[in-house]
Structure formats: structure tokens, C-alpha cells
């Protein structure tokens, strides 16, 4: 390959006084600019948000996207959400001005990226790795894991994040780590994510919390209602206990902080991959006509397992919570407790799935599971008996009789033969 001089490459250069030694060389990949560690171009200035904006070199121009920054991103004095900057023009992040240059006017100190990027370790076995700092002598590699399933199986995974830089990098890394068993799609907004899910269902959806218009927690609720049983993980760069509680309460399987190191991204991938494979390795599902739900409950309770049985038919979806072999909660529609439990066990058709346990929103059932199953069976039998019980027959409809009824005796306190007293 021909050598490319650094001076021939496009870059963004900080021109605000006191920060003029900072610049970053651009490539045709999205990069993030912000105050926090983990950005591709870090600018440690108070008016710059932790993750302020992202930029992409495309056809000799600079595409800029604001990432919900506190103090805004400006091009030619106008606040923007997305815009194009031409060579020689400036953009402002908070109080920091930068100029987009295709060739530097004067030498500048290049800023070393701290963002995870994909790189080839060797021509025969390309692997993603952390881009080394200027003083590093080694590159820490991320090693793909051996797949636990047939390579022919493709899992559909959807990443939703407002940062194109993160989506580009994380998708590439997860594709390599999964040995290409993940077929990955990405979306930067809720409406795009829902459009992709309408085109093709997903085995796993990974949502960012902080997104414009409709945030990740709102999108989580929408997906859960539209696609019951879909596995969803929430991943955010600003993890708090309240966000974690909200995400898990709204149906997320995992709540994860965004990784910023090779070890972190390997760990996050392992958790997500385990979630993708879980139903195939540990759980099971089936149709209610093929497998009796009572038998499934008996197996879970006998084994003192902790799990959630999700049962659904064409109209409704409900859950039965089993904790250490005890049934602690059931819910379907507006019903809870034993009433909901009986309703779920009365389904004559539908599907069920055994899902990982998490604490129920409330404990509504205290009785032993054996008695609960017997009560549910009795209630079902009574309901079936009422449905199948024939209507009372008229006198002339009794078997062996004609349409006319012959009276052979009457009783008015004592039995009288028919015709007695007649003259």
C-alpha cells in the first residue's frame, strides 16, 4: 500500500485559545467528540458535554450530528441537530470552536483516540482490538468465542442507539465475536427501530436509554406490548439505579453500562450472547395443545426452580412466577393472584415459554403449588361440566317414550293409581 502523509489527511482542529494544540485526523468512520473518556476525540473543557457530537468524513465534507449535548452544537452560528460542514468552515461545541481542514495550515499535535475500534491482528485471522495509545507497545486483542450452536443458525439482533459511531463500532465487534452468527441491524431512532422490527422479527434488541423524541425506556414498553416475549437488553453510558429499576420493571432482561475497554466489551458481548442462546440451551417453550401447562409447573416446582412461565394466546399474555419451587405471583390482563392463575390454566390453546426469574412486582399467591393446581383443575372441570351439560328434556323427549306421556299414578300425600275414583 502506498504511504499516505499525515499532512494530506483531513482533520478537525481546535482553534479556541488555550486548546489550540488539539486536533484529530479523520477517516470514513463515525467518531465521537466529547469531554469524557471513551470518546474518539476528547476535549476536556467544561462547556463540552461528556458525549457532545459525532462526525463523519464523507465525499470531502464533514457530517456532524449533535448527541443531545447540554450546550449545543453550532455550524455558522446556527444550532443544529445534524448538518454538513465544508472545508475551512468552523463548528462550535459549547464554547469550543473547531475548524474542518483538508490540509493543516500549521503543525498540530494529533490527539490519540481512546475509542474502541476494529483492527486486523493478522491477515489470516482478523480480530477487533483496542487502538493503542502512542506509547503502547502491545495491542490487546478481543478473541471471538466458539459458537455453542450450529454456524448455519443466524440470530437476528437489533441495536438501537442515537450514536452512529457507537453503532458502527459495536456492531462490527459483535459480528466478529459471534463468528458471524449474529445478523445485526441498527437504528438511531425509535421509529426506525419499529420499522425494522415490522420487516423482520429479532431474537434480541439492545436499546440505549438516551435517545431523542422517544427514549429507550418508552421504546422498551412499546416493543414489549407489540412483540410479547422478545428478549430486550438496555445498555447506557449513564447508568443509575433508578434507570436500572425502570428498565427491569418494564421488561428488560438485562441492564448494562456501555463498555469502554476491550475486557468490558468482551464481557458485555458474552452476556448478550448468553441471552440470545438461552432458550436454545437452557429454557424451553411449546404449544399448550402439545404440552400440558400443569406438567410444566409441576416440573419447575418439583425441581425447586426459579423461573417465569409466560403464557399467551391470540388475545392475552400472562405470567406465573415460580421462586424456589413456590408459586408467588400470577398476572393476566387486569387479574392477579389465584384468579389470574386459574385463568391462565384454563387456556385451551396458545403458547408458553420458560424465562429467567426476576422478582415479581408483588407477591399475590401464598398457597402450596399442589393445592393451587388441584383448585385450578377443579375449576376447569366445573367450567367444562357447565358447558357440556345438556339442557333438560321435556317429558316426551325421554328415551323410550313417545311424544305422549302416560300417567300411571299420582300422589297427593298418598299414592293413587291412575283412574282411581273415576266412574
Amino acid at each position: 500500500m502506498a504511504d499516505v502523509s499525515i499532512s494530506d489527511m483531513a482533520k478537525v482542529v481546535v482553534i479556541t485559545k488555550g486548546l489550540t494544540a488539539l486536533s484529530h485526523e479523520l477517516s470514513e468512520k463515525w467518531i465521537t467528540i466529547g469531554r469524557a473518556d471513551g470518546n474518539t476525540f476528547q476535549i476536556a473543557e467544561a462547556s463540552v458535554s461528556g458525549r457532545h457530537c459525532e462526525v463523519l468524513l464523507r465525499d470531502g465534507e464533514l457530517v456532524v450530528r449533535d448527541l443531545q449535548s447540554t450546550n449545543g452544537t453550532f455550524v455558522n452560528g446556527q444550532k443544529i441537530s445534524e448538518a454538513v460542514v465544508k472545508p475551512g468552515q468552523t463548528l462550535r461545541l459549547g464554547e469550543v470552536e473547531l475548524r474542518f481542514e483538508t490540509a493543516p495550515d500549521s503543525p498540530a499535535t494529533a490527539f490519540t483516540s481512546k475509542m474502541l475500534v476494529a483492527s486486523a491482528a493478522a491477515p489470516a485471522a482478523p480480530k477487533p482490538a483496542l487502538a493503542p495509545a502512542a506509547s503502547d507497545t502491545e495491542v490487546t486483542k478481543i478473541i471471538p468465542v466458539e459458537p455453542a450452536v450450529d454456524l448455519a443458525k443466524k440470530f437476528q439482533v437489533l441495536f438501537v442507539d442515537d450514536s452512529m459511531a457507537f453503532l458502527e463500532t459495536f456492531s462490527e465487534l459483535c459480528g466478529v465475536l459471534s463468528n458471524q452468527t449474529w445478523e445485526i441491524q441498527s437504528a438511531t431512532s425509535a421509529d426506525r427501530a419499529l420499522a425494522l422490527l415490522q420487516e423482520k422479527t429479532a431474537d434480541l434488541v439492545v436499546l440505549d436509554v438516551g435517545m431523542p423524541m422517544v427514549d429507550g425506556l418508552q421504546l422498551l414498553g412499546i416493543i414489549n406490548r407489540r412483540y410479547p416475549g422478545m428478549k430486550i437488553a438496555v445498555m447506557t453510558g449513564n447508568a443509575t439505579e433508578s434507570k436500572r429499576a425502570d428498565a427491569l420493571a418494564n421488561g428488560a432482561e438485562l441492564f448494562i453500562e456501555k463498555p469502554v475497554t476491550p475486557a468490558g466489551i468482551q464481557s458485555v458481548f458474552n452476556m448478550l450472547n448468553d441471552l440470545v442462546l438461552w432458550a436454545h440451551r437452557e429454557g424451553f417453550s411449546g404449544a399448550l395443545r402439545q404440552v400440558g401447562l400443569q406438567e410444566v409447573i409441576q416440573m419447575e416446582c418439583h425441581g425447586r426452580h426459579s423461573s417465569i412461565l409466560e403464557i399467551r394466546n391470540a388475545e392475552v399474555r400472562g405470567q406465573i412466577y415460580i421462586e424456589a419451587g413456590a408459586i408467588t405471583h400470577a398476572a393476566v390482563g387486569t387479574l392477579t393472584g389465584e384468579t389470574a392463575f386459574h385463568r391462565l390454566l384454563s387456556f385451551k390453546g396458545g403458547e408458553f415459554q420458560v424465562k429467567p426469574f426476576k422478582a415479581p412486582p408483588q407477591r399475590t399467591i401464598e398457597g402450596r403449588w399442589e393445592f393451587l393446581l388441584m383448585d385450578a383443575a377443579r375449576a376447569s372441570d366445573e367450567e367444562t361440566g357447565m358447558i357440556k351439560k345438556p339442557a333438560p328434556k321435556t317429558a316426551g323427549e325421554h328415551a323410550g317414550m313417545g311424544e305422549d306421556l302416560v300417567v300411571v299414578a299420582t300422589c297427593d300425600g298418598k299414592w293413587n293409581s291412575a283412574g282411581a275414583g273415576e266412574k
Side-chain angles (χ1 to χ4, degrees):
M1 295 178 60
D3 291 333
V4 179
S5 170
I6 291 178
S7 62
D8 293 333
M9 299 180 70
K11 62 172 64 176
V12 282
V13 180
V14 176
I15 58 176
T16 297
K17 290 183 179 180
L19 299 170
T20 51
L22 295 176
S23 69
H24 184 81
E25 298 157 7
L26 301 168
S27 64
E28 294 183 350
K29 283 184 176 291
W30 286 97
I31 66 167
T32 56
I33 305 175
R35 186 180 69 252
D37 289 341
N39 286 285
T40 321
F41 185 14
Q42 186 181 28
I43 302 176
E45 203 277 338
S47 66
V48 177
S49 293
R51 197 177 60 127
H52 198 105
C53 70
E54 58 185 0
V55 300
L56 170 70
L57 181 64
R58 185 171 66 194
D59 299 328
E61 297 178 331
L62 191 66
V63 180
V64 183
R65 298 180 72 244
D66 183 73
L67 296 177
Q68 302 183 73
S69 62
T70 301
N71 295 314
T73 301
F74 299 81
V75 174
N76 295 327
Q78 298 293 318
K79 188 174 183 179
I80 60 98
S81 57
E82 184 168 341
V84 173
V85 178
K86 297 185 180 298
Q89 289 185 329
T90 61
L91 64 150
R92 177 163 57 87
L93 315 182
E95 300 300 324
V96 177
E97 281 198 294
L98 302 91
R99 183 168 59 240
F100 170 44
E101 299 179 351
T102 52
D105 296 324
S106 59
T109 303
F111 183 87
T112 302
S113 168
K114 295 183 180 180
M115 184 69 181
L116 286 171
V117 296
S119 65
K127 295 181 177 67
L130 181 69
S135 60
D136 289 345
T137 58
E138 296 181 355
V139 174
T140 303
K141 299 180 180 64
I142 295 177
I143 308 300
V145 296
E146 288 298 322
V149 294
D150 188 348
L151 283 174
K153 169 66 177 177
K154 288 282 188 179
F155 296 101
Q156 302 299 319
V157 179
L158 174 63
F159 292 144
V160 188
D161 196 290
D162 66 331
S163 171
M164 285 297 302
F166 178 78
L167 288 174
E168 189 176 77
T169 300
F170 194 64
S171 297
E172 185 176 352
L173 288 168
C174 287
V176 174
L177 287 169
S178 70
N179 279 326
Q180 307 307 321
T181 59
W182 285 16
E183 192 170 290
I184 299 170
Q185 296 191 83
S186 59
T188 57
S189 63
D191 59 336
R192 178 58 182 158
L194 293 173
L196 288 172
L197 287 175
Q198 193 168 7
E199 293 172 7
K200 183 183 291 187
T201 189
D203 297 295
L204 173 66
V205 179
V206 183
L207 303 174
D208 181 27
V209 173
M211 295 191 299
M213 303 299 289
V214 177
D215 66 28
L217 295 179
Q218 290 174 299
L219 181 57
L220 170 64
I222 294 171
I223 294 175
N224 265 327
R225 287 191 295 273
R226 292 191 184 181
Y227 306 97
M230 185 172 289
K231 300 190 201 65
I232 306 174
V234 171
M235 185 162 59
T236 177
N238 182 25
T240 65
E241 280 304 313
S242 62
K243 287 179 181 177
R244 173 185 172 83
D246 288 343
L248 296 179
N250 281 281
E253 304 278 0
L254 290 172
F255 182 84
I256 309 169
E257 190 165 2
K258 282 184 179 177
V260 294
T261 65
I265 205 166
Q266 180 89 55
S267 176
V268 166
F269 168 80
N270 289 342
M271 286 188 288
L272 295 176
N273 195 52
D274 189 67
L275 182 56
V276 168
L277 300 176
W278 180 83
H280 301 271
R281 295 187 310 184
E282 299 174 25
F284 57 93
S285 60
L288 295 181
R289 289 189 179 92
Q290 298 168 348
V291 181
L293 188 57
Q294 291 201 9
E295 286 75 11
V296 177
I297 294 173
Q298 287 177 4
M299 287 190 292
E300 292 295 289
C301 292
H302 269 307
R304 300 188 61 80
H305 297 157
S306 294
S307 60
I308 300 174
L309 300 185
E310 185 170 273
I311 305 105
R312 56 184 177 272
N313 62 16
E315 290 80 28
V316 294
R317 177 183 68 160
Q319 299 83 29
I320 296 173
Y321 288 74
I322 300 174
E323 185 174 358
I327 299 170
T328 59
H329 178 60
V332 57
T334 59
L335 303 178
T336 60
E338 292 189 20
T339 305
F341 183 79
H342 292 167
R343 176 77 178 92
L344 290 169
L345 265 69
S346 72
F347 285 2
K348 303 305 180 185
E351 296 178 340
F352 71 89
Q353 186 174 20
V354 182
K355 305 185 73 173
F357 178 79
K358 59 186 176 185
Q362 55 184 326
R363 295 177 69 94
T364 58
I365 296 178
E366 300 293 339
R368 292 181 52 136
W369 65 267
E370 298 95 333
F371 299 142
L372 291 167
L373 287 178
M374 285 191 292
D375 288 343
R378 187 181 304 113
S380 179
D381 289 343
E382 290 174 356
E383 181 181 351
T384 302
M386 290 179 64
I387 293 172
K388 293 183 177 180
K389 186 176 181 180
K393 293 182 179 180
T394 63
E397 292 176 330
H398 284 278
M401 294 184 182
E403 295 182 357
D404 296 325
L405 179 65
V406 178
V407 178
V408 295
T410 62
C411 180
D412 58 359
K414 61 180 181 179
W415 286 103
N416 301 302
S417 298
E422 292 183 1
K423 303 297 182 185

